[in-house]
Amino acid sequence: QQVTCEESGKNISNIPTNLFQNVTKLSLKNNKISLKDSDKEILQSFINLTELYLNENMITVLHNNSFCSLTKLLILDISNNHISTVHKAAFAGLNQLSVLNLSCNTITQLDSDVFTSLKSLTVLNLQYNSLKSFHIKSPLKLIKIVLDGNPWNCSCDLLDLQMWLTASNVTMENENSTTCTFPNTKKKFSIKMAANQPAECKIEKASLENTVISISATELKSSALLTALTPNNITGNNGTHTEFPLLGKSWTFLAGVLGFVLSTTLLIFTAVKCPTWYRYLISYSHHRLEENGSEIFEQEFSADMSSFPTVSGTNNEDPIVTFQKIHAFVPEEDGFIEDKYIDSYTEES
């Protein structure tokens, strides 16, 4: 017996608790339900549900075990939400689920492991999301799949999906409109028909793995060398261990070293290119004697003589007379320089 409960378009943010426990078809579309933990607890009581419609709500993430108690559920519609992340065990427990609608969301990455537990799944709708690739690790026993409206990148990342679409009996709905977006050379080609050679993809994958391994080895050697050069424990004089931070992690130390090197280089460059600035520091100026130098000397000499004690029997004019007498013995310069070598040469001749 089918029991239908219609709770659509009521602007509710939580699943009502006053619903019949034996309900088989529950419609909660066009509300503000975000599927919180309290909502999941309420859903666990509807063990007879076969159809659940949560489309046009506010769900953003599908956490693990969101519908684990709905073992009789056949149809699950969670389209037109804001789902960007689907956890690996989000659909755990839905052993009888046949139709899953995830269209019109914002899913960017999805793995086939999410649907591994859905042994009875036959119809999967992923149209109008943000998927660029879809890795098929384990074959899905689907009858119909909808993939249009996604920005598919028809590179080697899409090879496993192409091989599964070709090898299986699944029907891809809207195949002509399910086209590549990248690269430009394959734009508007059907993702099923876009040519990707398995041999080329294997070579590309091997080269990428080798590049990753070489980068990891280089990083490991660098970290080992840094650890050897800057040990964490150094034994001091008192036998205790002192912790020192790794130099590679000290941006302050690196900035100080760079600043010192740059400033030293700038000083050396300035000294080489602009030597005039230090000439004034090591040179001195020659000043010409002023003409009144003799007068100043006489005044100083008179002041010094006046400081000596005067002898009795002399008057105040004696120092001046003495200075004149001393001056009288100074020969006058005639402007010529006497050279003894010239006189000796004259006498010999």
Side-chain angles (χ1 to χ4, degrees):
Q1 183 179 359
Q2 186 175 3
V3 179
T4 303
C5 183
E6 185 69 36
E7 295 289 333
S8 302
K10 293 188 176 181
N11 203 27
I12 57 177
S13 57
N14 297 303
I15 299 176
T17 57
N18 56 350
L19 302 178
F20 295 108
Q21 300 298 314
N22 60 345
V23 62
T24 58
K25 181 180 179 180
L26 177 60
S27 179
L28 295 168
K29 66 179 181 180
N30 194 17
N31 284 297
K32 294 183 178 180
I33 299 173
S34 59
L35 206 61
K36 300 185 291 291
D37 291 339
S38 58
D39 296 326
K40 290 188 287 185
E41 292 178 1
I42 296 172
L43 282 177
Q44 290 177 4
S45 60
F46 304 131
I47 58 176
N48 293 322
L49 267 182
T50 57
E51 298 181 25
L52 177 59
Y53 298 91
L54 286 168
N55 48 315
E56 300 179 27
N57 276 280
M58 304 295 292
I59 304 173
T60 57
V61 179
L62 289 178
H63 296 281
N64 292 331
N65 304 311
S66 296
F67 314 97
C68 58
S69 299
L70 308 180
T71 56
K72 297 181 179 180
L73 194 65
L74 300 175
I75 300 174
L76 176 59
D77 188 354
I78 44 181
S79 61
N80 288 281
N81 278 273
H82 305 281
I83 301 172
S84 59
T85 305
V86 181
H87 291 180
K88 187 176 181 179
F91 305 111
L94 301 180
N95 300 324
Q96 301 297 324
L97 188 67
S98 176
V99 179
L100 176 59
N101 191 351
L102 285 168
S103 63
C104 299
N105 282 288
T106 58
I107 303 172
T108 57
Q109 188 174 2
L110 198 60
D111 205 289
S112 62
D113 290 342
V114 176
F115 311 108
T116 303
S117 61
L118 304 177
K119 303 298 183 181
S120 303
L121 188 64
T122 57
V123 179
L124 177 61
N125 192 340
L126 295 173
Q127 69 178 160
Y128 293 108
N129 277 278
S130 301
L131 292 170
K132 293 183 179 181
S133 61
F134 182 37
H135 295 284
I136 305 293
K137 295 182 179 179
S138 57
L140 301 176
K141 297 179 181 180
L142 298 177
I143 297 175
K144 184 174 69 174
I145 189 170
V146 189
L147 299 172
D148 61 302
N150 288 281
W152 296 108
N153 185 1
C154 295
S155 60
C156 291
D157 291 336
L158 206 66
L159 181 62
D160 51 358
L161 176 61
Q162 291 176 333
M163 295 177 65
W164 174 74
L165 290 173
T166 305
S168 64
N169 295 323
V170 65
T171 300
M172 186 170 63
E173 193 172 292
N174 304 326
E175 181 177 345
N176 294 331
S177 59
T178 309
T179 57
C180 304
T181 305
F182 307 100
N184 292 330
T185 56
K186 299 178 182 179
K187 201 169 185 179
K188 301 302 181 182
F189 278 80
S190 173
I191 64 170
K192 188 176 181 180
M193 304 304 296
N196 279 319
Q197 299 298 328
E200 295 179 359
C201 291
K202 288 181 180 179
I203 295 174
E204 181 180 347
K205 184 178 180 181
S207 62
L208 181 62
E209 290 177 353
N210 292 333
T211 303
V212 172
I213 292 173
S214 62
I215 292 174
S216 301
T218 304
E219 292 178 353
L220 183 62
K221 290 180 180 178
S222 301
S223 61
L225 180 60
L226 184 61
T227 304
L229 292 176
T230 58
N232 291 332
N233 295 327
I234 298 177
T235 305
N237 296 328
N238 55 358
T240 59
H241 294 278
T242 306
E243 297 290 333
F244 288 92
L246 293 176
L247 293 179
K249 297 181 180 179
S250 179
W251 292 102
T252 306
F253 177 79
L254 181 61
V257 172
L258 291 177
F260 176 76
V261 172
L262 291 176
S263 59
T264 306
T265 306
L266 182 61
L267 288 175
I268 295 174
F269 178 80
T270 305
V272 172
K273 295 296 182 180
C274 306
T276 56
W277 66 274
Y278 60 85
R279 287 181 180 176
Y280 296 102
L281 299 178
I282 62 175
S283 62
Y284 60 92
S285 301
H286 298 277
H287 298 283
R288 184 179 180 182
L289 294 176
E290 297 180 359
E291 295 180 355
N292 55 354
S294 59
E295 299 178 358
I296 296 174
F297 175 76
E298 292 178 358
Q299 294 177 359
E300 292 178 354
F301 185 79
S302 300
D304 293 338
M305 293 299 294
S306 63
S307 61
F308 291 139
T310 56
V311 183
S312 59
T314 60
N315 53 19
N316 295 332
E317 295 179 355
D318 289 340
I320 299 175
V321 173
T322 306
F323 176 74
Q324 291 177 352
K325 291 179 180 180
I326 293 172
H327 243 352
F329 293 100
V330 177
E332 295 183 358
E333 295 182 357
D334 54 359
F336 294 97
I337 300 174
E338 182 180 358
D339 195 341
K340 61 182 180 178
Y341 295 104
I342 296 175
D343 296 337
S344 61
Y345 178 76
T346 304
E347 292 175 359
E348 292 176 358
S349 60

